[in-house]
Each structure stands twice: as C-alpha cells, then as structure tokens.
Amino acid sequence: EVQLVESGGGLVQPGGSLRLSCAASGFTFSTYSMNWVRQAPGKGLEWVSYISSGSSAIYYADSVKGRFTISRDNAKNSLYLQMNSLRDEDTAVYYCGVGTQGRIDWGQGTLVTVSS
Amino acid sequence: DIQMTQSPSTLSASVGDRVTITCRASQSISSWLAWYQQKPGKAPKLLIYKASSLESGVPSRFSGSGSGTEFTLTISSLQPDDFATYYCQQYNGLWTFGQGTKVEIK
C-alpha cells in the first residue's frame, strides 16, 4: 500500500522560508515521478511542482517559479519542497502525490501559514 | 498547459437523485483522468481513476465515463454521505485540476 507522509509545515512570516518533506513507502520510490499540490483555505486544488524519478526533469507552476525548489533523495525515499520568499498567498495545505499503476495517491497534507 | 473546465460549480440535489458532473479538457488526455471527493478539513479522496476505474472501497453508485476531452462523474443515487465537493484531475503530463463542484442539499 502506497503511503505518503508530509511534514515541515508551520507558521512563517512573509519573506521567510520553510522546507517541506514527504516520506514515501509502499512502492519503489526511485522509479516514479513525484508532485506537490496545494490548496489554499476555501479554494481549489493547485498543482505546484513536478520532479522526475531521476531528478532530470523539474517543473513549477508560474505562481512559485523562482521561489520554490523541489528535490528528492531516492536513497531515503523522500521528497522535498524548499519554499523561499514566502507570501501570504502561499498559505495552504501542501500535499505530495504520486501516480502508480494508473492511479494517484496523496498524503494527508501539511499546513503552511504565512502571516505576520 | 492542459486546462480543465468542470461544471457545474454548484449543484443542489436531494437524496436519491441521479447526479452528473462534467469535466472538459482543453486537449486530449486519453483516459488519464481522476475524480475526487473532498469534505471540509480532509484530504481529497480518490473515487475514480483512468476515467472509469472505481477505486477500491468506493461504493458502486459512483461511476466515471469518457475519453479524450469529455468526461463525466455520475452518482446513481445520491446518499447523505455524498454531499461534498468533487474535483476532476488530468494526469496526462503535468497535473491540472477542475475548479470543483459543490454538491449541496436541495
């Protein structure tokens, strides 16, 4: 069974930084691309970033480009999202997600609150 | 980028009603479409993947159809637990989501 557990969320001031982690288990992590998705309070779902299995291909939503950095450590079965220059509008629950066997699995999310 | 247009944005229905939600992709995504149910404060719950495959444990009153650019989620007989927000998601390349459909009690 695929399990994804996000951590690292919290309260941060505008302009601050935060690093999210996603611990993966139940599948061969090193062979699958991974994604981050977020949901602001009362809003819909927004894709944030993608990383290929070997980290050779990386993409970002325009809203976070230049501020967020996605990375992974296949030896540790872990996915990361480094978030810099945080803005109020980055306040959201952040989920990591993976597509395996044609279906999608998500974690339970970690809340990031950007506020002074 | 592939855009997903979901309709309606809100739907008022009664227990026992047949409910249909539509999602349209801006270009063909084959069958790489998922449907989710979300309740307040919870993570999205996968209902349907690959357009028409029912996720394990999901009641059979939920069904999905379509391919290419037009997709539908049908709830054959709405139950009290089904009042929630529903999202479609394409995963033919970079992920994108529909805007959501809130199913309310009529």
Side-chain angles (χ1 to χ4, degrees), chain B residues 5-79:
Chain B
T5 304
Q6 187 175 340
S7 61
S9 55
T10 306
L11 189 159
S12 296
S14 302
V15 172
D17 284 353
R18 182 182 182 87
V19 166
T20 299
I21 300 169
T22 298
C23 213
R24 181 175 292 113
S26 60
Q27 64 189 71
S28 177
I29 58 170
S30 185
S31 295
W32 298 113
L33 185 101
W35 290 98
Y36 297 90
Q37 177 193 71
Q38 189 177 36
K39 297 183 177 179
K42 300 293 187 181
K45 174 187 175 184
L46 181 66
L47 300 174
I48 302 287
Y49 61 96
K50 277 199 291 188
S52 60
S53 296
L54 189 68
E55 171 70 349
S56 176
V58 173
S60 58
R61 63 181 180 272
F62 292 92
S63 64
S65 64
S67 66
T69 61
E70 297 279 339
F71 302 87
T72 58
L73 172 71
T74 300
I75 308 172
S76 60
S77 177
L78 198 65
Q79 297 302 301

Side-chain angles (χ1 to χ4, degrees), chain A residues 35 37 39 43-47 50 59 95 97-99 101-108, chain B residues 1 32 34 36 38 42-44 46 49-50 55 87 89 91 93-99:
Chain A
N35 291 266
V37 172
Q39 186 172 36
K43 302 295 185 182
L45 298 161
E46 178 190 18
W47 169 80
Y50 162 98
Y59 300 97
Y95 300 96
V98 63
Q101 312 303 322
R103 48 185 299 287
I104 307 291
D105 284 286
W106 300 43
Q108 288 304 301
Chain B
D1 293 4
W32 298 113
Y36 297 90
Q38 189 177 36
K42 300 293 187 181
L46 181 66
Y49 61 96
K50 277 199 291 188
E55 171 70 349
Y87 294 94
Q89 175 204 3
Y91 50 111
L94 299 181
W95 294 359
T96 49
F97 297 89
Q99 302 92 325

Side-chain angles (χ1 to χ4, degrees), chain A residues 2-92:
Chain A
V2 172
Q3 283 206 321
L4 299 169
V5 179
E6 302 92 339
S7 60
L11 175 64
V12 61
Q13 292 187 338
S17 298
L18 214 53
R19 189 195 196 206
L20 305 184
S21 299
C22 170
S25 61
F27 65 104
T28 308
F29 179 76
S30 61
T31 63
Y32 288 95
S33 58
M34 297 292 296
N35 291 266
W36 286 100
V37 172
R38 69 183 180 182
Q39 186 172 36
K43 302 295 185 182
L45 298 161
E46 178 190 18
W47 169 80
V48 172
S49 186
Y50 162 98
I51 186 168
S52 63
S53 58
S55 304
S56 60
I58 287 175
Y59 300 97
Y60 300 97
D62 288 343
S63 56
V64 307
K65 202 172 293 183
R67 300 187 298 121
F68 289 12
T69 302
I70 191 171
S71 63
R72 63 191 295 162
D73 186 334
N74 287 342
K76 294 183 178 179
N77 288 351
S78 293
L79 175 72
Y80 306 101
L81 188 67
Q82 177 67 43
M83 304 186 296
N84 298 331
S85 304
L86 283 161
R87 306 167 179 168
D88 291 349
E89 55 266 34
D90 295 319
T91 293

